[in-house]
Amino acid sequence: MKIKMMFLCALSFNLANAQKVNVKQAFASAAKQTDILIKNVDSARLIKPNLVSPRTVEKGQFKMVVSRDWTSGFFPAELWYFYQYTKDKKWFNLARKYTEDIKKEQYNRGTHDLGFMIYGPFGNGYRLTGDTAYKAVIIQAAKSLSTRFNKTAGVLKSWDHNGDKWKYPVIIDNMMNLELLFEATKMTGDSSFYKIAVSHADHTIKNHFRPDFSSYHVIDYDTLKSGNILQKLTAQGYANESAWARGQAWALYGYTLCFRETKNKAYLAQADGIAGFILNSKVTPADGIPYWDYNDPNIPNVSRDASAAAITASALYELAKYSGNAKKYKAAADKILYSLSTKYTSKIGDNYGFILEHSTGHRPAKSEIDVPINYADYYYLEALLRSK
Ligand code: GLY
């Protein structure tokens, strides 16, 4: 899985020459791969029915996950995007079928990842069908997520695991779950979800970022007395003081959606600042696909993260609608998407049907390094849709 071309230069990469992706062709190839993926999913489920969604390929093995895995929603959510693009009943039926498998997670209070798990499939499903059963699932999931809010700290708790390492860990990824809360307020008229989302976003601006707009991965809060910060850490990045690539992408996407939902200019300024950090990087290669961590001293001999690139491209297309830097963001998103669609896609039939290659899941844990991953595929499809 070698990347064909690697030039080192600032991602102030030549935007003037950004080539436009062929969306029709990219969707057609992605659909062919996804047909293969579905066959593999169905075969795997005959043996282990509790494994509901395809996550990755590791050591050549196809890996499926249970519905409580944080990535379980991306697969059915992708199927909704195929339906959105094609309007083909085939994708509608498939999306409905696999969305059902994640439904029970609406009651899961043990994770902050309900935005990914529930809002991906059910949010897209509701948007595209208006099915009130989906709406009920979204509202229940928002209630479950809200139980993880602590008033003293003003934020939602991310993880319940590894209590020996931290007390009240909040990861930058958590910004992605706020969309579920904003939506639940729109659906119910109950502003408590909105208020939690705004509190979380405000505290995260204050505590999670460095002066250059790069983000820490994990902030550990004291919820017993003060809400003060106990520690600033990483779990999935190179070092506590480094900028883990996917974390920067989650931050960009998160503040972009917060601006969309609130029109608070502070969120727009934050998103612009984060975009500046990502796009002015001196280490990202000319094709715009970042290394897994901006500060890994072994760059360029380390893996890329196509998932971070896909999330970034999708976020930049939306941010371009709100920001004074619209032209620059659109050109950068086009460039990234062109690279992904021409150099980072699996050959038809390869990788069990996953669409993109070259993502990095959890390098410090030596897990999912330079592999296909479902969330890379999901945000790639979203970026393709948004590019139109
Ligand atoms: N939210 C976990 C990750 O981005 O890997």
Side-chain angles (χ1 to χ4, degrees), residues 70 116 173 236 244 246 250 361 375:
W70 79 271
F116 292 126
D173 324 27
Q236 281 165 262
W244 172 53
R246 196 161 54 257
W250 293 141
Y375 44 89

Side-chain angles (χ1 to χ4, degrees), residues 252-267:
L252 176 68
Y253 197 115
Y255 281 99
T256 302
L257 80 84
C258 283
F259 177 72
R260 178 217 308 150
E261 298 298 335
T262 64
K263 300 291 172 272
N264 179 343
K265 291 252 167 60
Y267 299 154

Side-chain angles (χ1 to χ4, degrees), residues 30-49 51-57 60-65 75 79 94 97-98 346-355 372 377:
K32 277 191 199 153
Q33 274 298 87
T34 305
D35 284 337
I36 295 166
L37 185 68
I38 291 166
K39 285 203 181 97
N40 285 318
V41 167
D42 290 345
S43 302
R45 291 180 58 154
L46 286 177
I47 302 164
K48 290 197 174 160
L51 297 180
V52 298
S53 287
R55 173 165 166 151
T56 186
V57 179
Q61 296 297 306
F62 184 54
K63 187 175 167 197
M64 295 273 294
V65 291
F75 168 62
L79 301 176
L94 287 166
K97 174 177 160 194
Y98 293 101
S346 306
K347 270 206 233 111
I348 301 296
D350 279 4
N351 292 318
Y352 294 87
F354 286 98
I355 303 166
D377 292 357

Side-chain angles (χ1 to χ4, degrees), residues 149-162:
F149 183 70
N150 178 282
K151 278 194 183 140
T152 307
V155 283
L156 293 151
K157 187 182 187 191
S158 292
W159 293 330
D160 293 347
H161 57 74
N162 291 100

Side-chain angles (χ1 to χ4, degrees), residues 19-199:
Q19 282 177 277
K20 276 288 282 178
V21 66
N22 183 333
V23 175
K24 195 170 167 198
Q25 196 179 307
F27 251 102
S29 301
K32 277 191 199 153
Q33 274 298 87
T34 305
D35 284 337
I36 295 166
L37 185 68
I38 291 166
K39 285 203 181 97
N40 285 318
V41 167
D42 290 345
S43 302
R45 291 180 58 154
L46 286 177
I47 302 164
K48 290 197 174 160
N50 68 322
L51 297 180
V52 298
S53 287
R55 173 165 166 151
T56 186
V57 179
E58 265 207 301
K59 300 191 180 92
Q61 296 297 306
F62 184 54
K63 187 175 167 197
M64 295 273 294
V65 291
V66 293
S67 69
R68 69 170 181 282
D69 184 273
W70 79 271
T71 71
S72 65
F74 291 112
F75 168 62
E78 281 175 60
L79 301 176
W80 284 117
Y81 279 157
F82 281 112
Y83 173 59
Q84 178 175 340
Y85 185 72
T86 62
K87 300 287 180 298
D88 185 336
K89 194 84 183 160
K90 162 190 150 173
W91 294 110
F92 174 86
N93 290 332
L94 287 166
R96 276 193 92 82
K97 174 177 160 194
Y98 293 101
T99 290
E100 281 305 298
D101 294 323
I102 320 295
K103 199 171 177 178
K104 70 172 192 277
E105 300 310 322
Q106 66 184 299
Y107 301 107
N108 188 341
R109 295 175 167 203
T111 177
H112 72 139
D113 282 319
L114 293 176
F116 292 126
M117 296 153 80
I118 293 290
Y119 196 64
F122 290 90
N124 282 308
Y126 182 65
R127 181 174 59 81
L128 294 168
T129 67
D131 185 337
T132 50
Y134 290 172
K135 180 175 171 180
V137 172
I138 292 165
I139 294 166
Q140 176 54 51
K143 287 181 185 162
S144 300
L145 178 58
S146 298
T147 65
R148 301 183 66 79
F149 183 70
N150 178 282
K151 278 194 183 140
T152 307
V155 283
L156 293 151
K157 187 182 187 191
S158 292
W159 293 330
D160 293 347
H161 57 74
N162 291 100
D164 53 325
K165 290 191 186 155
W166 37 61
K167 298 234 169 340
Y168 193 91
V170 178
I171 63 174
I172 189 62
D173 324 27
N174 207 338
M175 288 299 300
M176 299 296 286
N177 297 307
L178 305 185
E179 195 167 16
L180 168 67
L181 298 177
F182 286 123
E183 187 64 26
T185 285
K186 283 189 266 182
M187 286 174 162
T188 60
D190 176 352
S191 63
S192 62
F193 304 115
Y194 183 101
K195 284 179 186 152
I196 289 174
V198 165
S199 173

Side-chain angles (χ1 to χ4, degrees), residues 363-377:
R363 198 174 172 104
K366 298 190 170 48
S367 164
E368 299 178 340
I369 299 170
D370 196 16
V371 293
I373 302 187
N374 57 16
Y375 44 89
D377 292 357

